[in-house]
Amino acid sequence: MTQLPQFKRALLHPRYWFTWLGIILLYLLVLLPYPLLYYIGCGLGRLSMRFLRSRVAVARRNLELCFPQMPPAEREALLNRNFESLGMGLIETGMAWFWPDWRIKKWFSVSGLEHISKAKADGKGVLLIGIHFLTLELGARIFGIHNPGVGVYRPNDNALLDWLQTWGRMRSNKSMLDRKDLKGMIRALRNGDIIWYAPDHDYGPKSSVFVPLFAVEQAATTKGSYLLVRSGNPAVIPFVPRRLPSGKGYEMVILPEQTSIPLDSEIATAAHMNKIIENGVLMAPDQYMWLHRRFKTRPEGQPSLY
């Protein structure tokens, strides 16, 4: 069972003071009106491109790999918008952790809640497919306000940030599970809980199979989806939290339950999940985490894509 971090006096040690300063500044920043936060966040994102050159190169390469038919000028415009979204992602993390519920609701519209209600009425747990958008913290918060569930996360190496992210996410969730705790996830699904689960990152060769993602024919994709769907028998429901342009707020789109997911093999399930991921990403391509080395793991003997 995942042991959630607790606040300890050790987190007040001087080695964490710089982190505390950043937390305090973020808290004060998100007190500003949202339209102003929108322009600050986008500006920070554009500025970050001057300093995060390696991440810019990774994001540009990911876009080339996934959308080779897209005109280069269009891909470059998408890249610029993506880094604006990166700056907003920092602001939105503070909003997700520190804003009260009423302020979150003020800037969100939500559609598709009936799909969650139907799954509950059918007595099913829900495997909520949470794609790694830069809005993911805020999206998880608004979803949890309406339907508290169990979040899946990677513990942070910084003990203070690990506690803070857990505290922030628990404001609208029932519990949290380490992403490696598959037994805990299956147990929660069988108990009828909602599991926030993101199957779209590269978790290394031991935990992955190679299946297509966009134009990349062999993308390392987690085996975990196969075990969760087969053992937990959940309703598989994707959702997309996307930012509206020009500081107009957000919308959360909960999509219908995905049926007929193949369970013949880990490969078949992973390939189908990647199609779900692709459809979700295309709903807000500028807001996806393109700056991660999504295709780092390659089949044995194949050269790096980066």
Side-chain angles (χ1 to χ4, degrees):
M1 179 178 292
T2 302
Q3 297 294 319
L4 298 182
Q6 302 294 320
F7 182 83
K8 301 176 181 178
R9 290 185 63 184
L11 297 180
L12 300 175
H13 189 277
R15 69 173 172 268
Y16 295 115
W17 285 0
F18 186 77
T19 305
W20 275 115
L21 177 61
I23 293 167
I24 292 168
L25 290 175
L26 182 59
Y27 172 80
L28 294 174
L29 178 62
V30 298
L31 294 175
L32 294 171
Y34 176 73
L36 183 56
L37 291 175
Y38 178 82
Y39 289 106
I40 291 173
C42 290
L44 286 174
R46 289 191 296 271
L47 181 64
S48 75
M49 296 183 75
R50 300 184 181 182
F51 304 100
L52 302 177
R53 295 188 183 278
S54 63
R55 290 295 180 181
V56 171
V58 169
R60 181 179 286 117
R61 179 58 173 157
N62 281 336
L63 291 172
E64 290 173 352
L65 291 168
C66 290
F67 306 115
Q69 303 304 319
M70 184 182 291
E74 189 176 334
R75 277 203 308 265
E76 200 66 18
L78 177 57
L79 177 72
N80 291 332
R81 295 198 306 274
N82 188 235
F83 273 82
E84 290 182 352
S85 192
L86 175 64
M88 277 304 301
L90 173 63
I91 301 290
E92 288 156 357
T93 297
M95 292 162 57
W97 291 351
F98 302 128
W99 273 18
D101 288 357
W102 67 264
R103 197 174 179 196
I104 298 279
K105 291 178 180 178
K106 176 181 177 181
W107 290 98
F108 257 97
S109 65
V110 180
S111 63
L113 287 170
E114 66 274 11
H115 305 309
I116 305 297
S117 298
K118 182 180 183 302
K120 288 182 176 180
D122 292 342
K124 289 185 175 182
V126 174
L127 189 65
L128 185 72
I129 304 302
I131 302 164
H132 274 93
F133 286 111
L134 291 159
T135 54
L136 89 164
E137 290 286 347
L138 197 54
R141 176 73 190 281
I142 187 64
F143 185 91
I145 288 173
H146 291 276
N147 286 283
V150 179
V152 175
Y153 79 114
R154 183 186 72 81
N156 197 291
D157 294 334
N158 182 306
L160 174 54
L161 290 179
D162 193 35
W163 166 78
L164 180 65
Q165 75 173 2
T166 303
W167 173 84
R169 292 169 180 178
M170 288 292 289
R171 294 192 66 187
S172 59
N173 278 300
K174 296 164 67 174
S175 186
M176 302 287 295
L177 290 171
D178 189 303
R179 70 182 186 187
K180 298 178 181 178
D181 189 359
L182 283 173
K183 289 183 179 179
M185 295 180 217
I186 292 169
R187 185 165 51 248
L189 289 172
R190 289 176 174 174
N191 289 337
D193 281 323
I194 300 170
I195 290 285
W196 188 101
Y197 176 72
D200 61 327
H201 268 195
D202 181 341
Y203 295 123
K206 292 183 179 180
S207 303
S208 303
V209 292
F210 293 96
V211 293
L213 179 66
F214 289 111
V216 180
E217 288 298 322
Q218 293 180 302
T221 302
T222 179
K223 299 176 182 179
S225 302
Y226 172 79
L227 294 172
L228 291 173
V229 176
R230 182 166 184 168
S231 301
N233 192 30
V236 178
I237 299 179
F239 85 117
V240 174
R242 57 185 177 185
R243 185 185 317 108
L244 301 175
S246 304
K248 294 178 181 178
Y250 302 83
E251 63 177 354
M252 181 174 70
V253 182
I254 302 171
L255 299 169
E257 179 182 352
Q258 306 296 294
T259 58
S260 303
I261 295 176
L263 295 174
D264 306 326
S265 67
E266 294 170 337
I267 290 176
T269 303
H272 189 89
M273 280 291 185
N274 275 0
K275 291 298 181 184
I276 295 173
I277 296 301
E278 289 176 9
N279 291 336
V281 169
L282 291 175
M283 292 176 67
D286 59 314
Q287 296 170 38
Y288 188 63
M289 286 189 182
W290 295 112
L291 69 163
H292 285 189
R293 295 175 69 197
R294 174 62 183 85
F295 309 109
K296 177 175 66 175
T297 300
R298 304 296 299 141
E300 187 174 353
Q302 291 202 12
S304 172
L305 294 176
Y306 296 99

